[in-house]
């Protein structure tokens, strides 16, 4: 069977006047040629008009006798009621509702629901436990990492200390060497000066002066 | 009836003027009774339910804001009262399961809803005009799920607009339309034998 381009919703929108004028014209034209859609629209319209007629039906003549006064009396009665009795009324309503909840027919449903809830809680609990274990392991690993780092640092420190000591020794040795070298150098300089002094004329003058002084001493 | 506007009447009720409240009751009692009747199909119960709605609205009128329309606010109270009534009724009906069965969309439907109608109905289309079929429609409406029933009756039996129904039901207008269409199709399916539809072209 050939399918129509208009859906039930289009036809219902048309029946309820919830459609734009352009589409309404299109549907109207379509209904002239499509027996299937036109019979659907007729059926919907019949239901709607029937409901409208039903809504317009007159109520029994005496239905409103004393209606408003009764409402006022009930309002006054309710206002006079102490709060506790209003609460009691509400409680009795609640109890009536609860009666249905606790009816024996609902016991199997309640049991199945409890089992489902319990298994869900257990499943969730096991999931939570697993997460806790993993977290603990992560913490342990972190602690281990920190510890390893500390050890490495300590070891490095020791090595550094040793190296520093060694460096100090080397430095001291070098300093000593340098000091020695300086002493040698100054001695060497003195020697050089002495040599120069010996080579120079000064020493002969000095020797002559010494000879003269010796002579004077022997004479005196 | 006084010359006061509705908002003035409400303001007077708020300061404790019972005469003003009488005016409001007189104005809306017919509509309220009709709406309640479409839920309970029983004038005695409809009278009680509509009165209960007025009593509750009097108690809560201090919370009513003048900005919104009184009748949508009042109808919401009434619809909620009818909903409670149907819930209580459904519970008592569950205990009498021999009289009822569940139809395909889970709602309760009286077994004898279409009993003996097919044999003596005078013909499709025309038959809908008779009183008996109007009663059948009412009973078919009763068997609809609550939202579909409420929206269908408010729209078609009480002439409310889609936006007003949306306000009463506190839902989107699109949702109202979806429920309205579903209700119409469901009713058409339930009354298939009596409304004018081609047997070869069933509803999609």
């Amino acid at each position: 069977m050939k399918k129509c381009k208009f859906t039930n919703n289009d036809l219902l929108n048309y029946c309820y006047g919830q459609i734009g004028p352009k589409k309404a014209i299109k549907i109207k034209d379509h209904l002239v040629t499509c027996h299937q859609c036109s019979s659907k629209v007729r059926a919907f319209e019949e239901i709607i008009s029937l409901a409208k007629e039903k809504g317009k039906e007159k109520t029994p003549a005496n239905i409103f006798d004393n209606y408003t006064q009764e409402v006022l009396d009930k309002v006054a009665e309710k206002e006079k009621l102490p709060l506790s009795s209003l609460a009691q009324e509400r409680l009795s309503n609640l109890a009536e509702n609860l009666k249905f909840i606790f009816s024996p027919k609902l016991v199997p449903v309640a049991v199945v629901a409890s089992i489902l809830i319990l298994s869900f809680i257990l499943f969730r609990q096991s999931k939570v436990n697993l997460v806790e274990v993993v977290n603990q392991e992560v913490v342990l690993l972190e602690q281990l990492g920190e510890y390893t780092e500390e050890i490495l640092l300590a070891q490095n420190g020791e090595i550094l200390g040793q190296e520093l000591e060694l460096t100090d020794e080397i430095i001291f040795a070098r300093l000593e060497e340098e000091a020695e070298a300086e002493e040698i150098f100054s001695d060497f300089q003195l020697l050089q000066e002495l040599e120069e002094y010996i080579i120079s004329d000064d020493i002969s003058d000095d020797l002559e002066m010494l000879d003269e002084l010796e002579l004077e001493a022997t004479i005196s | 009836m006084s010359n006061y506007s509705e908002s003035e009447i409400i303001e007077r009720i708020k300061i404790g003027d019972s005469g003003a409240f009488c005016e409001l009751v007189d104005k809306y009692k017919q509509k309220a009774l009709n709406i309640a009747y479409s839920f309970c199909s029983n004038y005695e119960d409809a009278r009680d339910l509509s009165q209960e709605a007025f009593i509750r609205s009097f108690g809560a009128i201090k919370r009513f804001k003048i900005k919104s329309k009184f009748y949508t606010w009042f109808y919401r109270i009434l619809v909620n009262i009818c909903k409670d009534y149907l819930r209580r009724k459904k519970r008592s009906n569950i205990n009498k399961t021999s009289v009822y069965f569940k139809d395909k969309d889970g709602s309760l439907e009286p077994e004898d809803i279409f009993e003996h109608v097919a044999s003596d109905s005078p013909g499709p289309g025309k038959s809908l005009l008779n009183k008996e079929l109007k009663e059948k429609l009412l009973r078919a409406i009763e068997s609809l799920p609550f939202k579909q029933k409420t929206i269908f009756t408010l729209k078609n039996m009480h002439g409310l607009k889609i936006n007003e129904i949306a306000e009463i039901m506190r839902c989107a207008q699109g949702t109202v339309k979806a429920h309205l269409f579903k209700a119409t199709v469901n009713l058409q399916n339930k009354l298939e034998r009596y409304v004018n539809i081609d047997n070869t072209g069933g509803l999609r």
Side-chain angles (χ1 to χ4, degrees):
Chain A
M1 193 185 292
K2 195 187 165 188
K3 267 195 170 181
C4 274
K5 59 180 175 179
F6 293 110
T7 61
N8 267 350
N9 272 10
D10 291 329
L11 300 178
L12 282 160
N13 268 318
Y14 174 77
C15 292
Y16 281 110
Q18 300 284 321
I19 206 164
K22 278 185 185 175
K23 202 167 184 183
I25 291 167
K26 275 185 189 173
I27 292 177
K28 204 174 179 182
D29 291 344
H30 172 74
L31 292 178
V32 177
T33 52
C34 181
H35 177 67
Q36 195 183 326
C37 288
S38 64
S39 64
K40 275 187 203 173
V41 166
R42 261 201 312 279
F44 293 145
E45 281 177 343
E46 279 186 57
I47 299 269
I48 293 164
S49 71
L50 188 67
K52 280 180 180 167
E53 276 176 38
K54 186 73 193 158
K56 282 176 193 167
E57 269 183 10
K58 282 185 180 172
T59 45
N62 58 347
I63 194 91
F64 292 116
D65 288 355
N66 216 21
Y67 183 95
T68 311
Q69 192 53 49
E70 272 178 33
V71 172
L72 283 178
D73 292 346
K74 282 178 189 171
V75 166
E77 200 179 308
K78 214 162 193 175
E79 282 188 338
K80 273 181 203 167
L81 281 176
L83 271 175
S84 59
S85 49
L86 282 174
Q88 270 179 356
E89 193 189 321
R90 292 217 169 151
L91 273 174
S92 64
N93 285 341
L94 188 69
E96 201 187 316
N97 289 334
L98 286 175
K99 234 187 249 174
F100 177 70
I101 295 168
F102 293 113
S103 81
K105 282 174 192 169
L106 288 179
V107 168
V109 180
V111 168
V112 171
S114 314
I115 290 166
L116 283 173
I117 291 165
L118 202 67
S119 50
F120 175 72
I121 290 166
L122 285 172
F123 173 70
R124 246 193 112 159
Q125 195 64 40
S126 65
K127 233 179 162 182
V128 169
N129 285 342
L130 196 70
V131 169
E132 269 176 22
V133 168
V134 170
N135 282 341
Q136 280 173 357
E137 279 179 7
V138 166
V139 170
L140 276 173
L141 276 171
E142 276 173 4
Q143 283 175 350
L144 195 68
E146 279 170 17
Y147 182 62
T148 318
E149 212 171 319
E150 274 173 24
I151 291 169
L152 282 172
L153 276 172
Q155 280 179 349
N156 285 345
E158 210 173 304
I159 291 164
L160 194 69
Q162 284 171 357
E163 277 178 4
L164 279 172
E165 274 175 27
L166 201 69
T167 319
D168 283 349
E169 278 171 18
I170 292 164
I171 289 166
F172 282 132
R174 275 187 191 167
L175 282 172
E176 273 175 15
E177 275 171 15
E178 273 176 21
E180 262 173 40
E182 215 170 298
E183 218 168 292
I184 291 164
F185 183 71
S186 63
D187 287 351
F188 183 71
Q189 267 185 332
L190 272 173
L191 275 171
Q192 264 186 335
E193 280 174 16
L194 198 62
E195 214 170 295
E196 277 171 14
Y197 177 68
I198 292 166
I199 295 163
S200 67
D201 292 333
D202 295 344
I203 194 164
S204 56
D205 292 343
D206 289 343
L207 282 170
E208 274 175 23
M209 202 184 277
L210 268 173
D211 287 340
E212 280 173 13
L213 284 171
E214 268 178 32
L215 271 172
E216 276 177 17
T218 47
I219 292 167
S220 61
Chain B
M1 188 71 71
S2 72
N3 293 323
Y4 288 109
S5 70
E6 197 167 273
S7 56
E8 284 169 334
I9 292 172
I10 291 162
E11 286 300 335
R12 280 167 54 209
I13 298 169
K14 280 184 181 180
I15 55 169
D17 184 346
S18 58
F21 183 59
C22 287
E23 282 181 40
L24 210 63
V25 174
D26 286 334
K27 189 176 178 184
Y28 287 106
K29 64 184 179 187
Q30 179 73 60
K31 278 264 180 191
L33 185 95
N34 287 345
I35 291 176
Y37 179 74
S38 56
F39 284 99
C40 58
S41 313
N42 169 345
Y43 278 112
E44 261 181 55
D45 288 347
R47 194 175 193 272
D48 289 344
L49 294 175
S50 59
Q51 282 184 329
E52 178 62 27
F54 282 116
I55 294 161
R56 276 199 208 173
S57 67
F58 182 82
I61 203 145
K62 282 185 181 166
R63 292 197 293 275
F64 171 71
K65 288 168 191 165
I66 299 287
K67 282 179 203 168
S68 48
K69 289 173 190 164
F70 171 77
Y71 69 90
T72 52
W73 179 77
F74 171 69
Y75 289 166
R76 187 161 63 235
I77 293 172
L78 180 61
V79 165
N80 285 335
I81 289 170
C82 293
K83 193 178 181 180
D84 284 344
Y85 164 85
L86 290 177
R87 202 182 290 140
R88 286 199 303 272
K89 197 178 167 189
K90 196 174 175 181
R91 271 178 224 161
S92 61
N93 284 341
I94 287 170
N95 296 331
K96 303 170 196 166
T97 42
S98 58
V99 184
Y100 288 86
F101 69 96
K102 275 205 165 184
D103 77 354
K104 60 186 172 188
D105 51 337
S107 54
L108 287 168
E109 189 172 18
E111 254 178 356
D112 61 346
I113 189 163
F114 300 125
E115 212 173 67
H116 307 305
V117 175
S119 56
D120 57 12
S121 60
K126 282 177 190 175
S127 67
L128 283 169
L129 297 169
N130 69 45
K131 199 185 168 189
E132 194 187 356
L133 262 168
K134 278 183 197 164
E135 288 306 313
K136 301 283 171 218
L137 174 76
L138 205 62
R139 293 177 74 179
I141 292 170
E142 268 179 41
S143 69
L144 290 175
F146 181 77
K147 271 194 175 170
Q148 287 183 29
K149 174 177 25 209
T150 311
I151 290 167
F152 183 85
T153 52
L154 289 177
K155 172 75 184 143
N156 295 314
M157 290 165 83
H158 308 294
L160 267 76
K161 290 173 189 164
I162 300 278
N163 62 330
E164 291 170 335
I165 300 170
E167 212 178 315
I168 292 167
M169 303 295 287
R170 282 186 171 162
C171 61
Q173 289 187 32
T175 314
V176 172
K177 272 169 77 174
H179 282 296
L180 178 67
F181 291 177
K182 211 168 179 187
T184 315
V185 173
N186 279 344
L187 289 173
Q188 197 280 328
N189 288 335
K190 283 173 197 287
L191 301 169
E192 204 167 14
R193 280 178 282 176
Y194 319 106
V195 292
N196 194 6
I197 188 161
D198 182 12
N199 288 332
T200 56
L203 293 171
R204 283 196 296 267

